Amino acid sequence: MTSKKVILTGSFGVGKTSLFNQFIYARFSDRYLTTIGVKVNKKVVKVGDREISLLLWDIAGEVTQDKVPTSYFLGASGIVYVFDLTRPLTYKNIETDINYLKDLLPGGIIKIVGNKKDLVSEEQIEAVKNSLSVPVNITTSAKTGENVSDLFQELGTDLIG
Amino acid sequence: MNISVNTQVDNLTQFAQSILLNEQGFIIESCDTIFSTQNLLNKPIYEAAPFLESIFPSLLILTPDTPPIHFNKVEMPARFLPGYYDFTFSKVHLNDTDGILWCVFDYTDLYIDLMRYQQQKNELEIHRQLFELQNQSLQHSSDIKRNKNFFYPYLNTNSSKGFSVKIQELLLSKDNVLDLFSTIQQNGTSTIHSIDTINANLEEFTYIKKEFDLFFERNNTHFDKIKPLQLDQILYEANAMVEKHFNVIPTVDLNKEEDTNWDNIAGKPYLIRQVIYNLIMNSFEQNIVSPINIYTSIVDSAMQPSLKIIFSQPIKKFLHSPISRPSRLTFRISLVKKLVDLYGGKIFPLYDLASPILRISFQLPCYTQI
């Protein structure tokens, strides 16, 4: 089975760990618990008749991506860049961040995810999307689980290529 | 033994452990100062934890010359090595074969303290951001109201600069004004006669106001950043509302031949519309309960025929609610004054303390060439 390392990154408090927990354990907690470094877990995703093991790195949120240790990205195949739809500061630097990540991981798959969609209206989501200079791949709610499996399913499909 | 006794002693004092792995991931040797590797000897180490699995391919491409790779604050699963650790991986050469030296530093206590500190810091920052957003939202609502008040001066300024022909087209086509004057001319038999041009009831005013407010709210309009396209749209809607709800029916008699030379009437007809429009807007901002009247007439002042308009509305209500109404009224009137000035006309209030009616009279020259 193919294994692929995927980094969950973004600013702090955007819900990376919640997405991680929702995807891996199908659970959610309203309590915010900061991640100070990195924790890793894996889950197998079925893509057609193939399976891929996603090794997810849930890393500490940083306001800008250049503060994330580059060693974290060693051997990574994909990045899930998460921002909080309710906090503009979490997508303020998105273009710079994405360009930085593209340079760091040339040819890697990068998914841009707007999380906490349960807290905003569709109109607000559209407004946020329209305000960004980079395309948002998917909007999710780690709380309700909406689009979470779709996100990783899409990612798995892209990684298998 | 590849790991020296000294290293093992150091490991003990530093809460560290050194583990030697072969390139297949099996443990060759471990000082076991933090955790026992006895149950990991029969399988590759990377099967023990996803973290190791995810980095192992990268470790294989290291050379003895490449600097060690460090991973700080790695949270390991409870089933394997519960706690927070720093890891260092480096390639070593062992008995003619390559191996990987994995150094584990247990900083669990330190990192738990750090996590508590960071938790507080992040929570505070998140609350600060959300609080700021709430404030901005409140400020935004306030701005919408404030900007609405600045909209008309903005419009006024831009129209006076010849901002857009569209404004003129939207506010009032010249034909409409000429039709108005033409009707006045046809019916005119006396010098000064009043014309009741606008008569709208409260329901209509309230309905229009709601529509207008909804439009502003819906579009989150920032007038200081307004684009010409948006402005046109707003004007179009505003004009459509006026067109829909107000019926202009002029009747006037004139007996001076020179006053009826309407071929010269050109002026800036859209300004008339702006004047009327703003007075109407002002009226329903006052929550007027009775009809508003605009009286127009043709006057001859120093041989200059002028269109005289007296706008009349009850002021009783706003006099009894002096908190915000007067300032808005003042604003509207000052705006209308600007418009009238632009037109080259005059405007003055007609005071009558005994009457609860506010009357504003203004005269606009009829002969001004564009």
Side-chain angles (χ1 to χ4, degrees):
Chain A
M1 190 196 313
T2 313
S3 291
K4 297 287 182 184
K5 175 178 169 182
V6 174
I7 310 288
L8 276 164
T9 191
S11 188
F12 60 87
V14 297
K16 298 181 293 295
T17 304
S18 295
L19 283 171
F20 179 91
N21 288 335
Q22 182 62 257
F23 176 61
I24 303 280
Y25 309 110
R27 72 180 182 213
F28 175 81
S29 167
D30 267 321
R31 188 170 172 231
Y32 168 61
L33 267 179
T34 188
T35 306
I36 56 164
V38 55
K39 63 182 166 193
V40 184
N41 214 329
K42 67 175 177 180
K43 186 166 179 175
V44 174
V45 170
K46 198 166 183 183
V47 180
D49 56 353
R50 297 175 65 184
E51 287 187 332
I52 180 171
S53 174
L54 295 180
L55 289 154
L56 288 182
W57 279 48
D58 175 25
I59 67 175
E62 294 289 354
V63 176
T64 54
Q65 289 303 297
D66 54 2
K67 290 182 179 165
V68 177
T70 51
S71 63
Y72 285 4
F73 296 93
L74 193 66
S77 302
I79 294 172
V80 176
Y81 181 93
V82 187
F83 67 90
D84 182 343
L85 288 161
T86 70
R87 285 163 53 213
L89 280 179
T90 66
Y91 50 82
K92 186 182 165 194
N93 301 315
I94 194 165
E95 189 178 0
T96 313
D97 281 347
I98 295 299
N99 288 333
Y100 175 81
L101 294 172
K102 280 179 179 170
D103 287 345
L104 206 59
L105 201 64
I109 304 292
I110 299 178
K111 293 281 181 191
I112 301 173
V113 181
N115 192 35
K116 305 190 188 180
K117 74 176 297 188
D118 53 293
L119 298 177
V120 290
S121 65
E122 284 299 322
E123 289 76 18
Q124 286 170 311
I125 292 172
E126 282 308 307
V128 171
K129 280 182 174 178
N130 292 336
S131 72
L132 299 181
S133 53
V134 292
V136 177
N137 295 101
I138 197 165
T139 53
T140 57
S141 167
K143 185 174 185 175
T144 65
E146 187 179 355
N147 288 347
V148 176
S149 57
D150 290 350
L151 161 66
F152 292 103
Q153 192 66 41
E154 277 181 27
L155 184 66
T157 306
D158 291 350
L159 286 170
I160 279 182
Chain B
M1 180 176 286
N2 294 293
I3 302 171
S4 70
V5 173
N6 284 344
T7 302
Q8 294 189 43
V9 171
D10 285 348
N11 283 344
L12 272 173
T13 55
Q14 292 177 28
F15 300 100
Q17 180 167 346
S18 301
I19 303 159
L20 276 173
L21 307 167
N22 66 18
E23 291 200 314
Q24 286 70 49
F26 288 91
I27 294 174
I28 300 170
E29 190 178 336
S30 170
C31 63
D32 282 10
T33 41
I34 296 176
F35 68 101
S36 170
T37 54
Q38 288 305 306
N39 59 346
L40 298 168
L41 296 175
N42 299 324
K43 57 184 179 182
I45 189 73
Y46 52 78
E47 289 185 7
F51 174 81
L52 298 168
E53 182 182 351
S54 67
I55 60 162
F56 204 78
S58 303
L59 301 181
L60 294 178
I61 57 173
L62 292 175
T63 68
D65 298 328
T66 50
I69 305 174
H70 302 281
F71 295 99
N72 298 328
K73 309 182 198 85
V74 181
E75 184 181 342
M76 293 300 277
R79 66 180 182 277
F80 173 53
L81 184 64
Y84 295 91
Y85 302 90
D86 283 2
F87 295 150
T88 299
F89 297 91
S90 53
K91 197 70 166 271
V92 290
H93 197 66
L94 304 166
N95 305 326
D96 298 329
T97 59
D98 284 339
I100 295 161
L101 176 63
W102 174 25
C103 295
V104 180
F105 301 90
D106 184 357
Y107 293 132
T108 301
D109 292 342
L110 176 70
Y111 285 149
I112 285 175
D113 285 344
L114 178 67
M115 189 173 69
R116 287 189 187 126
Y117 163 75
Q118 189 165 298
Q119 173 89 19
Q120 287 179 354
K121 181 172 157 276
N122 287 0
E123 277 180 350
L124 277 173
E125 176 57 21
I126 290 168
H127 287 150
R128 189 196 64 76
Q129 286 179 21
L130 294 175
F131 182 72
E132 202 167 86
L133 274 177
Q134 278 183 332
N135 275 350
Q136 279 174 3
S137 178
L138 289 172
Q139 182 65 36
H140 179 68
S141 302
S142 160
D143 281 350
I144 287 176
K145 289 174 186 168
R146 183 175 57 82
N147 286 332
K148 279 164 73 176
N149 290 345
F150 281 102
F151 167 57
Y152 293 102
Y154 178 90
L155 167 64
N156 186 21
T157 305
N158 282 293
S159 59
S160 68
K161 288 176 184 169
F163 167 70
S164 167
V165 176
K166 266 265 176 88
I167 293 174
Q168 182 173 350
E169 290 169 0
L170 287 168
L171 283 171
L172 183 65
S173 69
K174 198 193 321 182
D175 288 346
N176 287 349
V177 170
L178 292 178
D179 283 348
L180 168 66
F181 289 137
S182 174
T183 311
I184 292 170
Q185 178 190 10
Q186 286 165 14
N187 296 327
T189 54
S190 61
T191 307
I192 299 173
H193 280 277
S194 64
I195 318 153
D196 189 353
T197 55
I198 292 176
N199 193 342
N201 62 35
L202 177 64
E203 277 182 4
E204 282 173 326
F205 284 136
T206 309
Y207 174 73
I208 298 164
K209 188 174 189 313
K210 274 183 186 168
E211 274 195 345
F212 202 61
D213 285 346
L214 274 174
F215 176 78
F216 281 115
E217 300 293 338
R218 194 170 60 242
N219 290 282
N220 273 347
T221 310
H222 281 291
F223 289 110
D224 54 341
K225 295 175 184 169
I226 201 163
K227 294 174 185 171
L229 190 64
Q230 287 174 299
L231 181 61
D232 283 353
Q233 193 185 355
I234 291 164
L235 291 173
Y236 178 81
E237 291 214 6
N239 190 52
M241 282 190 281
V242 172
E243 291 285 354
K244 184 177 172 185
H245 294 281
F246 297 95
N247 187 24
V248 179
I249 310 167
T251 53
V252 71
D253 295 329
L254 297 172
N255 58 12
K256 283 190 177 178
E257 192 178 346
E258 61 270 28
D259 287 355
T260 61
N261 184 15
W262 300 106
D263 289 342
N264 291 329
I265 296 174
K268 297 173 181 171
Y270 64 93
L271 286 174
I272 296 175
R273 183 58 166 226
Q274 286 187 341
V275 168
I276 294 172
Y277 178 76
N278 280 286
L279 287 169
I280 291 165
M281 291 296 289
N282 172 68
S283 297
F284 60 75
E285 281 177 1
Q286 310 308 319
N287 290 326
I288 293 166
V289 292
S290 56
I292 301 162
N293 298 309
I294 294 181
Y295 299 93
T296 57
S297 59
I298 302 300
V299 293
D300 183 6
S301 169
M303 299 303 289
Q304 283 186 357
S306 297
L307 175 67
K308 183 178 180 182
I309 302 174
I310 298 177
F311 179 85
S312 173
Q313 69 172 74
I315 54 171
K316 194 173 179 180
K317 182 117 182 163
F318 100 83
L319 285 176
H320 289 167
S321 306
I323 298 169
S324 61
R325 301 301 183 195
S327 61
R328 300 194 75 162
L329 176 71
T330 308
F331 161 73
R332 290 283 183 195
I333 299 303
S334 64
L335 170 60
V336 169
K337 185 178 183 312
K338 275 188 183 178
L339 291 167
V340 173
D341 286 346
L342 274 171
Y343 201 93
K346 295 175 189 170
I347 182 168
F348 48 90
L350 301 173
Y351 292 109
D352 182 357
L353 292 176
S355 167
I357 303 293
L358 172 68
R359 290 192 300 159
I360 298 158
S361 172
F362 51 93
Q363 287 178 226
L364 305 173
C366 296
Y367 58 91
T368 309
Q369 296 291 332
I370 292 177

